[in-house]
């Protein structure tokens, strides 16, 4: 299976090599490395690896944690192939080419881009600012195929791009479209023995950029999301 492994490590020569060797000795085949952050002598790196299904992930996590200065932020199952340059532009081109289904195209694609489990486009009530917990009353405009049923969303208010973690280990990234109370919610869930990492600020920024661009492309069509059908 394909795994995403996120580690925080000292940003000094040799440490990245130690992490890579540990992954290899544990049985992981590295297919991609993405640097999410370099700050204050520390780095946050995402490794996408092919992992033999019969092997125990606990061995991998213990091996990484044994490297001096290394912290394992999460190990979780990745959906789809590793991300490549140009995928965001290709997705937006698909949204523009088929605006009628543009929102569904965006929602279905985002989990693969962000190594998430599922995504939904939800409409928050107009008076969300005056009601506590308004996000729990959201209307679902479109949900990706892995979204759970029944769907329980976190409180997405206030409507701004951000990451959040809820009790029980669920991680979410949310980004508003800027019209009609519409917000895109992306989720990662823990599944024993795996434990997903929270969404990094670079991932939230990427989501927000995709949402803003899609809002420009789709325009007034977004105002109809969640509206009752017009009787014929």
């Amino acid at each position: 299976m394909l795994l995403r492994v996120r580690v925080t490590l000292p940003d000094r020569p040799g440490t990245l090599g130690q992490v890579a060797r540990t992954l290899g000795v544990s049985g992981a085949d590295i297919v991609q490395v993405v640097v999410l952050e370099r700050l204050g002598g520390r780095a946050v790196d995402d490794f996408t690896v092919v992992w033999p299904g019969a092997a125990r992930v606990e061995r991998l996590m213990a091996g990484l944690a044994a490297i001096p200065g290394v912290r394992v932020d999460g190990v979780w199952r990745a959906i789809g192939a590793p991300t490549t340059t140009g995928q965001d532009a290709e997705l937006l081109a698909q949204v523009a080419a088929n605006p009628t289904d543009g929102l569904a195209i965006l929602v279905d694609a985002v989990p693969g881009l962000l190594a998430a489990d599922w995504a939904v486009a939800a409409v928050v009530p107009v008076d969300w600012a005056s009601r506590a917990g308004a996000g729990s009353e959201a209307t679902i405009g479109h949900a990706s195929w892995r979204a759970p049923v029944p769907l329980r969303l976190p409180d997405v208010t206030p409507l701004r791009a951000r990451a959040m973690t809820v009790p029980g280990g669920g991680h979410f990234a949310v980004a508003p479209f800027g019209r009609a109370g519409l917000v895109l919610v992306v989720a990662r869930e823990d599944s024993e023995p795996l434990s997903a990492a929270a969404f990094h600020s670079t991932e939230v920024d990427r989501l927000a950029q995709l949402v803003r661009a899609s809002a420009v492309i789709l325009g007034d069509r977004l105002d109809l999301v969640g509206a009752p059908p017009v009787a014929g």
Side-chain angles (χ1 to χ4, degrees), residues 23-225:
L23 288 168
V25 169
S26 300
D29 182 13
I30 301 173
V31 295
Q32 187 182 59
V33 182
V34 175
V35 179
L36 295 176
E37 175 185 309
R38 276 201 174 105
L39 184 66
R42 304 282 289 175
V44 180
D45 292 351
D46 266 5
F47 294 81
T48 303
V49 304
V50 177
W51 182 253
R56 294 179 60 85
V57 177
E58 293 91 335
R59 177 189 176 192
L60 170 63
M61 298 173 68
L64 292 172
I67 303 173
V70 170
R71 184 185 72 226
V72 180
D73 295 329
V75 179
W76 69 102
R77 189 163 186 169
I79 306 300
T83 58
T84 58
T85 302
Q87 282 186 315
D88 291 9
E90 181 180 347
L91 171 58
L92 292 174
Q94 293 175 7
V95 171
N98 188 3
T100 301
D101 297 321
L103 183 63
I105 292 171
L106 176 68
V107 172
D108 289 337
V110 160
L113 295 181
L114 296 181
D117 291 304
W118 52 268
V120 298
V123 180
V124 174
V126 175
D127 59 345
W128 63 268
S130 63
R131 287 195 284 167
S136 62
E137 301 174 16
T139 299
I140 304 304
H142 182 79
S144 67
W145 70 276
R146 289 176 58 90
V149 178
L151 186 62
R152 295 182 61 86
L153 295 180
D155 185 356
V156 299
T157 56
L159 292 184
R160 58 180 173 82
R162 61 191 173 111
M164 65 185 75
T165 296
V166 300
H171 305 290
F172 297 88
V174 301
F177 285 83
R179 59 191 306 154
L182 187 63
V183 60
L184 186 58
V185 182
V186 188
R188 288 185 188 134
E189 298 178 337
D190 295 337
S191 58
E192 291 293 339
L194 304 180
S195 178
F199 286 91
H200 191 268
S201 59
T202 58
E203 295 176 305
V204 176
D205 289 343
R206 184 183 184 189
L207 177 66
Q209 291 170 8
L210 284 169
V211 167
R212 285 196 297 267
S214 297
V216 171
I217 294 170
L218 298 177
D220 293 343
R221 292 177 183 271
L222 295 178
D223 296 334
L224 303 177
V225 178

